[in-house]
Amino acid sequence: MIRVLLAEDQALVRGALSALLNLESDIEVLGSVPDGEAAWREVQRLKPDVLVTDIEMPGITGLELAQRIHRHELPVKCVIVTTFARPGFLRRALDAGVSGYLLKDAPAENLAEALRIVHRGGRSIDPQLALEAWSEADPLNDRERQVLRLAGEGQSASDIATQLNLSHGTVRNYLSEAIGKLGAANRIEAYRLARQKGWL
């Protein structure tokens, strides 16, 4: 039996995924949660075989969740199911130790099959996206990405400095580096570009 935990912030999608997977004789949905923090708590409590998670969720994202599971060396495999067909997201997901990456518009039976492959120790990645993922490398480091994301959400350099325990000058340096690496005119353009590529 493949024991699965679902993390998806849209209630309708979460319910549909749960109903779909429960139709499979070899898959048991242990629970479903609406955000990354709840998923992290339930992963530790329920100890599922596989976590199926979206990328964009309140609190911590699906990618940050996968990184945390990887960092703590928990025996939980991660499968991302998302609308984001962006190579940058896939590259970051693979770097975070994710075993599966599927798009929400894929046929429903693909998910159950992907879970079986991942549970057996394999990988299940959308093939078209896998090809594109290696076409362009992500130039940002984790800190630049974090600072740029907060700036793009409208936070000032001072707010970001406080939130991340950095000096105001350090935040400005990270922003300047990110803008330079992306060849953007300003932080807003850099944020937009990085989002388009899937690097944020």
Side-chain angles (χ1 to χ4, degrees):
M1 194 58 103
I2 305 169
R3 301 162 69 254
V4 175
L5 175 67
L6 297 174
E8 161 65 59
D9 61 327
Q10 295 176 351
L12 196 64
V13 176
R14 194 167 65 245
L17 285 174
S18 185
L20 188 75
L21 292 175
N22 274 323
L23 294 174
E24 303 293 329
S25 60
D26 58 342
I27 295 173
E28 178 191 2
V29 178
L30 301 177
S32 61
V33 293
D35 62 69
E37 288 295 350
W40 175 241
R41 287 192 301 273
E42 291 299 271
V43 159
Q44 294 170 93
R45 188 176 75 84
L46 298 171
K47 298 179 175 48
D49 300 314
V50 183
L51 168 69
V52 175
T53 179
D54 193 1
I55 288 182
E56 296 270 296
M57 291 187 296
I60 61 175
T61 68
L63 288 178
E64 290 164 341
L65 190 56
Q67 285 169 335
R68 195 179 282 187
I69 287 167
H70 190 60
R71 201 167 49 243
H72 285 81
E73 298 179 352
L74 299 180
V76 179
K77 297 192 165 43
C78 290
V79 173
I80 301 252
V81 179
T82 183
T83 53
F84 295 113
R86 297 179 191 159
F89 275 128
L90 174 56
R91 284 185 71 126
R92 286 175 51 216
L94 293 174
D95 288 345
V98 164
S99 300
Y101 195 103
L102 303 174
L103 299 177
K104 284 182 180 171
D105 62 2
E109 59 272 14
N110 286 20
L111 178 58
E113 192 47 42
L115 293 183
R116 292 182 187 108
I117 291 167
V118 164
H119 188 248
R120 288 195 301 264
R123 276 209 164 146
S124 183
I125 310 293
D126 182 275
Q128 187 54 44
L129 208 51
L131 284 174
E132 292 171 24
W134 306 110
S135 62
E136 195 174 357
D138 178 356
L140 303 174
N141 66 37
D142 283 342
R143 195 54 109 173
E144 288 161 355
R145 190 177 297 114
Q146 203 175 20
V147 168
L148 188 58
R149 184 187 298 131
L150 293 171
E153 289 168 1
Q155 294 197 35
S156 70
S158 302
D159 292 340
I160 297 168
T162 303
Q163 191 172 334
L164 299 180
N165 270 339
L166 299 170
S167 74
H168 186 269
T170 302
V171 167
R172 290 176 65 88
N173 287 344
Y174 280 130
L175 280 174
S176 169
E177 281 291 311
I179 291 165
K181 284 179 177 179
L182 295 168
N186 54 47
R187 66 174 72 177
I188 301 304
E189 189 185 330
Y191 174 78
R192 190 179 50 74
L193 266 169
R195 288 278 301 175
Q196 268 174 4
K197 298 280 190 184
W199 294 333
L200 280 187

